[in-house]
Amino acid sequence: PVDFNLRGVHLFRSDDGGLTWAEKSSGLPTDARTSINAIVVDPMNPDIAYVMTSSHESEESKGVYKTTDGGQSWYSANKGLSHVNTNDIQIDPINPDTLYLAMHLPGYVRGDYFSGVYKSVDSAETWEPSSDGLPTGSVSDLALDSLNPNVLYAATREGVFMSVDGA
């Protein structure tokens, strides 16, 4: 972990090409020892965006947060996840109601926790495991084919795997 003047998740938005910035962190875990690892914006509606927190650059993960009002307010979007140790998030460029999460499961965690890929088909209101064909364990990164979003790549310790049916 690196010490910063701001602790927790803080997000800033510019509406003038970067000349000025305003904090848009209402509802984000600003008191947590976490960081934003990825931001995805709905390609059909720029007021809808998702941030994914990670423990890789900090001490803990808080999962996914969503805004529907351009960042004025955020809420947790983790319903259906067995834990919140996330690694990556991707949004379908043609059907932005569909999102994918790469999940990390630290070695010290034991029990019935799912790692791999989760998929949402309702704009991150709920998540379901979607890892058929993947080896057991963490998925570190995802890539979604922008021309054919049914093609999803998942990077694991055992190599890169491809789904051609939307996971």
Side-chain angles (χ1 to χ4, degrees):
V2 178
D3 271 346
F4 294 100
N5 290 333
L6 295 174
R7 295 241 182 241
V9 173
H10 294 269
L11 188 110
F12 294 82
R13 176 179 170 157
S14 175
D15 292 318
D16 57 11
L19 293 174
T20 60
W21 294 87
E23 185 170 1
K24 302 291 182 180
S25 302
S26 179
L28 292 174
T30 56
D31 59 342
R33 296 183 65 84
T34 191
S35 61
I36 294 174
N37 195 39
I39 303 170
V40 293
V41 178
D42 184 319
M44 310 294 180
N45 182 349
D47 285 335
I48 299 174
Y50 307 85
V51 297
M52 187 222 65
T53 65
S54 171
S55 61
H56 291 291
E57 295 83 17
S58 57
E59 295 180 12
E60 62 183 321
S61 178
K62 293 292 186 177
V64 178
Y65 286 79
K66 178 180 178 180
T67 183
T68 57
D69 59 11
Q72 296 300 318
S73 61
W74 295 85
Y75 63 91
S76 175
N78 296 315
K79 185 177 179 184
L81 299 178
S82 65
H83 60 86
V84 293
N85 292 303
T86 51
N87 274 342
D88 194 17
I89 187 169
Q90 296 288 319
I91 189 168
D92 186 317
I94 295 171
N95 179 9
D97 290 341
T98 300
L99 296 105
Y100 300 91
L101 274 179
M103 301 300 288
H104 172 68
L105 192 58
Y108 61 84
V109 175
R110 300 284 182 253
D112 295 328
Y113 291 99
F114 175 83
S115 59
V117 174
Y118 274 89
K119 180 178 181 178
S120 175
V121 294
D122 58 6
S123 303
E125 294 303 314
T126 59
W127 296 94
E128 294 285 334
S130 190
S131 290
D132 287 350
L134 288 177
T136 301
S138 298
V139 173
S140 56
D141 283 303
L142 296 171
L144 194 58
D145 187 318
S146 61
L147 298 178
N148 181 357
N150 282 324
V151 176
L152 179 72
Y153 299 92
T156 72
R157 288 183 185 256
E158 286 78 22
V160 177
F161 292 79
M162 178 177 73
S163 169
V164 295
D165 62 2

